[in-house]
């Protein structure tokens, strides 16, 4: 007979507090929540589906600023960093549209050798074999490409005049 797993209330809350009230399915399973417990939490409103495998601990309308960026990092997994225009906005290099719809101004990330993020309209993924650890910083608690790397990333997709 299979052991029934309960809901890791405290652990999920602590994790969510560090991640802008978002958690991934993978994280919940690692905390001991079973598949049925996750389904039950969704049915009862304890969890709210943000995207496939990403859940909010509150109603989506109550998520704090930068939740979309946090969700993109959760989708990308280990070694992922916010990059390109999204990183530039975090560094204050370009203006960030605070009222943007996820679909109209996608969060851009760079992932290392992963298929994560494909087919999601609200995010854009760039893939690389590796990101040098000197090219990644923390900004507002998020892994983000360093300003110099961000400018290089932006220049690659810009005209000469835009890059200047």
């Amino acid at each position: 007979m299979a052991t029934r797993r309960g809901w890791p209330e405290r652990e999920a809350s602590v994790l969510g507090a560090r991640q802008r009230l978002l958690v991934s399915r993978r994280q919940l399973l690692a905390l001991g929540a079973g598949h049925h417990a996750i389904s039950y939490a969704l049915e009862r409103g304890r969890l709210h589906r943000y995207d496939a495998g990403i859940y909010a601990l509150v109603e989506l309308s109550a998520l704090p600023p930068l939740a979309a960026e946090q969700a993109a990092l959760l989708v990308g997994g280990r070694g992922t960093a916010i990059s390109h225009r999204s990183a530039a906005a975090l560094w204050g290099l370009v203006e960030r549209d605070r009222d943007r719809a996820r679909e109209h101004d996608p969060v851009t990330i760079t992932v290392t050798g992963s298929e994560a993020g494909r087919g999601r309209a609200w995010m854009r993924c760039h893939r690389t074999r590796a990101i040098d650890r000197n090219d990644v910083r923390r900004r507002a608690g998020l892994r983000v490409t360093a300003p110099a790397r961000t400018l290089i990333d932006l220049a690659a997709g810009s005209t000469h005049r835009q890059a200047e």
Side-chain angles (χ1 to χ4, degrees):
M1 188 165 159
T3 305
R4 184 177 220 178
R5 293 184 177 176
W7 185 252
E9 184 75 39
R10 184 174 186 276
E11 296 88 350
S13 295
V14 169
L15 182 60
R18 290 194 318 253
Q19 298 179 161
R20 291 181 171 77
L21 305 175
L22 296 170
V23 293
S24 71
R25 181 175 195 83
R26 182 179 61 238
Q27 290 173 324
L28 289 172
L29 293 170
L31 291 175
H35 296 284
H36 295 293
I38 294 171
S39 295
Y40 187 75
L42 283 165
E43 289 171 16
R44 295 292 182 205
R46 178 176 274 170
L47 289 179
H48 307 272
R49 189 177 310 278
Y50 185 89
D51 195 65
I54 306 295
Y55 308 107
L57 300 176
V58 297
E59 292 285 341
L60 298 184
S61 61
L63 284 172
L66 302 175
E69 287 80 357
Q70 180 68 58
L73 291 174
L74 289 172
V75 169
R78 197 176 176 103
T80 300
I82 303 295
S83 63
H84 295 76
R85 183 167 170 75
S86 297
L90 283 169
W91 290 115
L93 302 173
V94 298
E95 195 170 321
R96 184 176 191 278
D97 182 0
R98 300 203 186 282
D99 297 324
R100 70 175 162 81
R102 292 189 312 178
E103 299 80 21
H104 299 340
D105 189 12
V107 175
T108 308
I109 60 173
T110 296
V111 298
T112 54
S114 172
E115 294 299 310
R118 288 193 187 271
R120 288 179 164 92
W122 61 273
M123 59 186 283
R124 183 172 296 127
C125 293
H126 294 270
R127 286 164 180 46
T128 186
R129 290 179 193 220
I131 300 175
D132 189 290
R133 70 178 203 194
N134 293 320
D135 286 340
V136 178
R137 304 277 192 283
R138 288 248 170 222
R139 180 85 168 165
L142 301 167
R143 281 179 48 89
V144 60
T145 52
R149 165 73 186 250
T150 299
L151 289 172
I152 291 168
D153 288 342
L154 286 175
S158 303
T159 66
H160 182 67
R161 185 168 179 81
Q162 289 171 326
E164 284 180 3

